[in-house]
Amino acid sequence: MTKTATLFFISSLLLLTSCKDTKSANKIYYQAINGKDTARLSVIYYEDRFFGQYERIYGKNGKDSGNVRGQLVGDTLKGEFKYLSLGGSKSISPIVFLKKDDKLLLGKGLISTYMNIPFYVKDVPMDYNTGFVFEEINNQ
């Protein structure tokens, strides 16, 4: 097989694989309301990964909005949230959701950093009673 034929074969294989990923992906939309705050989440699940967009609106005081991505570990979505915060500065924070009864519960835990990478401290239990219970909604 010539070098050109080999490159064509590999390119075709990569193209077919990426098309398969797109077709099997399913975007789900969620919303949670806690007092005056509203949060919206759109997630695409694929095998053991997830990615999507997340927005948290703080009443009339601004919002955080950006992208989420991470791993599915059992009934838990563990990942990171890269976003623009209230004043427009770029931030990254860990994010975790617990799947329970077709809903997602936003988790809260002790955050530490290592080399400017934030993460939840493993020895401290997560609290899923934050008031943000995400329910699936139709695309709006």
Side-chain angles (χ1 to χ4, degrees):
M1 192 181 261
T2 68
K3 186 175 183 179
T4 305
T6 303
L7 287 174
F8 177 75
F9 176 75
I10 292 171
S11 298
S12 299
L13 186 61
L14 289 173
L15 180 62
L16 289 173
T17 305
S18 66
C19 289
K20 180 182 175 189
D21 287 352
T22 303
K23 291 179 182 177
S24 63
N26 185 20
K27 187 179 268 191
I28 300 175
Y29 297 87
Y30 298 93
Q31 180 171 299
I33 298 173
N34 183 17
K36 294 181 180 180
D37 298 341
T38 301
R40 294 186 184 101
L41 174 67
S42 63
V43 179
I44 296 175
Y45 298 100
Y46 186 75
E47 294 180 1
D48 63 346
R49 300 173 307 211
F50 73 92
F51 57 96
Q53 290 79 40
Y54 180 58
E55 178 179 69
R56 189 162 172 180
I57 303 165
Y58 301 98
K60 296 180 181 179
N61 298 323
K63 67 180 179 179
D64 294 338
S65 61
N67 299 316
V68 292
R69 68 179 181 159
Q71 300 291 317
L72 295 169
V73 182
D75 59 357
T76 307
L77 287 72
K78 296 180 178 183
E80 68 179 13
F81 177 36
K82 290 185 178 181
Y83 62 98
L84 290 176
S85 65
L86 299 169
S89 61
K90 294 180 182 179
S91 300
I92 299 174
S93 67
I95 196 162
V96 65
F97 298 95
L98 176 66
K99 283 186 174 185
K100 186 175 182 181
D101 301 327
D102 295 327
K103 297 178 182 178
L104 294 177
L105 308 176
L106 179 64
K108 182 179 178 183
L110 180 61
I111 297 175
S112 185
T113 58
Y114 178 73
M115 296 179 64
N116 286 335
I117 300 172
F119 62 93
Y120 288 117
V121 176
K122 289 184 179 186
D123 297 337
V124 178
M126 296 298 298
D127 176 14
Y128 293 99
N129 297 313
T130 63
F132 281 95
V133 178
F134 288 81
E135 296 187 31
E136 193 171 330
I137 60 172
N138 293 328
N139 180 9
Q140 296 181 358

